[in-house]
Amino acid sequence: LMETRNIDAVVADQPDNGTLRVITSDNVSIVVKRNILLDNSNNQFDGKLADSLAQGPILSVQFTESSQVFNLLLDVLLDREPVWHEPAPAAISDLLACLTKYGVSLDDKFSLQQQQKPFYNFVLTSAISYPLDTFALVCKYHLEDLAVECARRLLSIPLTQLTDEQSIDIGPVYLRRLTILHLKHAEGLRQLLAHLPDRHEPNERCNDTSQKDNLERLWSSAVKEIWTEGEVSTISTLEFQSRLEPLANQLHCGECQLRMRQRVQRLIVEWSTAVFAEL
């Protein structure tokens, strides 16, 4: 049995001078306007439609892609929401390979100017659940704007989690840029952590020397412990909160406790909103 689908409401059930029937690898027949394919391709769809205008109507053209991949391709060409497809690396990989094969400009479809288009957000949605895989894919196809966007989701992920395959897809240029991004992020955190808690006005129970010996030394010791554990730039704000907030309980001065809690809260806000560099 062959399933037939019509692309665009004005397409008839049978091909005519302006339409053709696409046969996918899973034996699905898709009737589509010929100009939708030709106008978006710089190689006449890998030569499959090279003689279509000269010869008049083509009854059918066989494609090696599945109906799922081909429908995704048509969704891109028509700027339609891919409502029936999950944003996942496998689907995006097949789609990008298909678009490249058939001469569709990726820059025209996935540049920053297209960020309001469905498929720009389709890729970014994939990056939420599959940040490394999605970043590797957009780097492989040199999609600069998407690479920059996806890289923002990698700051909490240690680079040691990259597989060999992902590193190959990312390539040396983007891998170097990602490494530098992580280093700058770590340096930014080092600078944030270097700020000691504010001192309070000296009183009978707690003078400047006491604050230096207790409040500041306790903070510095905790920061040093965190820093020596490695991959410090990937620590989440919740982890900072759980590790640093209890420090206040080790202080006997109420005002020192308040200063410590204020410093922890300020660090959490600073770390959650910090942007030290872009890819």
Side-chain angles (χ1 to χ4, degrees), residues 253-268:
C253 170
E255 291 192 59
C256 284
Q257 290 178 346
L258 177 61
R259 293 297 189 275
M260 180 65 79
R261 293 190 179 99
Q262 289 173 339
R263 180 67 191 97
V264 173
Q265 289 303 312
R266 190 163 67 249
L267 172 66
I268 291 171

Side-chain angles (χ1 to χ4, degrees), residues 120-135:
Y120 192 92
N121 293 309
F122 185 77
V123 176
L124 291 182
T125 302
S126 172
I128 296 174
S129 301
Y130 311 96
L132 285 175
D133 287 329
T134 305
F135 179 73

Side-chain angles (χ1 to χ4, degrees), residues 14-272:
Q14 298 297 326
D16 56 32
N17 286 335
T19 64
L20 59 88
R21 186 184 300 276
V22 169
I23 310 298
T24 62
S25 62
D26 50 345
N27 212 33
V28 173
S29 170
I30 304 174
V31 179
V32 59
K33 283 186 174 181
R34 212 174 341 184
N35 68 293
I36 291 174
L37 306 183
L38 287 171
D39 291 351
N40 287 281
S41 173
N42 61 23
N43 66 2
Q44 295 173 314
F45 252 65
D46 198 30
K48 288 182 177 293
L49 308 182
D51 299 324
S52 63
L53 296 178
Q55 296 180 0
I58 298 177
L59 294 181
S60 64
V61 180
Q62 188 75 43
F63 283 80
T64 57
E65 287 74 27
S66 69
S67 57
Q68 180 184 26
V69 173
F70 204 87
N71 274 309
L72 273 174
L73 179 147
L74 291 172
D75 286 339
V76 171
L77 301 187
L78 295 167
D79 290 327
R80 297 187 311 192
E81 196 74 37
V83 293
W84 302 112
H85 304 283
E86 178 187 358
I92 294 171
S93 178
D94 290 341
L95 172 64
L96 293 176
C98 182
L99 291 169
T100 302
K101 174 182 177 182
Y102 293 123
V104 179
S105 171
L106 299 184
D107 287 338
D108 289 344
K109 300 299 180 182
F110 297 99
S111 66
L112 191 60
Q113 289 72 24
Q114 306 298 320
Q115 62 180 316
Q116 301 303 322
K117 297 293 182 69
F119 268 87
Y120 192 92
N121 293 309
F122 185 77
V123 176
L124 291 182
T125 302
S126 172
I128 296 174
S129 301
Y130 311 96
L132 285 175
D133 287 329
T134 305
F135 179 73
L137 272 174
V138 298
C139 289
K140 179 180 179 180
Y141 288 93
H142 307 289
L143 301 176
E144 169 73 14
D145 294 330
L146 280 169
V148 171
E149 291 284 346
C150 292
R152 294 171 182 164
R153 303 188 179 278
L154 302 182
L155 293 173
S156 62
I157 301 176
L159 294 182
T160 52
Q161 291 188 16
L162 280 171
T163 65
D164 290 344
E165 182 180 4
Q166 288 169 339
S167 299
I168 292 171
D169 285 344
I170 291 171
V173 174
Y174 279 110
L175 192 57
R176 176 180 177 275
R177 290 170 61 183
L178 182 62
T179 302
I180 292 174
L181 178 64
H182 269 254
L183 290 174
K184 288 182 177 179
H185 200 59
E187 174 59 22
L189 176 59
R190 187 193 68 77
Q191 294 177 12
L192 290 181
L193 291 172
H195 295 300
L196 297 169
D198 296 328
R199 294 184 184 183
H200 59 77
E201 288 293 326
N203 55 47
E204 294 181 359
R205 298 183 56 188
C206 187
N207 56 28
D208 284 337
T209 301
S210 297
Q211 292 181 64
K212 181 177 180 181
D213 290 343
N214 297 305
L215 177 63
E216 294 179 358
R217 184 171 296 177
L218 185 61
W219 176 267
S220 298
S221 177
V223 167
K224 182 178 179 181
E225 181 180 341
I226 292 173
W227 201 261
T228 54
E229 293 178 358
E231 302 290 359
V232 65
S233 64
T234 63
I235 294 180
S236 68
T237 55
L238 288 177
E239 189 171 351
F240 271 130
Q241 190 170 8
S242 65
R243 296 187 59 169
L244 296 177
E245 277 193 343
L247 294 177
N249 299 328
Q250 300 179 41
L251 297 166
H252 299 294
C253 170
E255 291 192 59
C256 284
Q257 290 178 346
L258 177 61
R259 293 297 189 275
M260 180 65 79
R261 293 190 179 99
Q262 289 173 339
R263 180 67 191 97
V264 173
Q265 289 303 312
R266 190 163 67 249
L267 172 66
I268 291 171
V269 172
E270 291 169 339
W271 188 233
S272 63

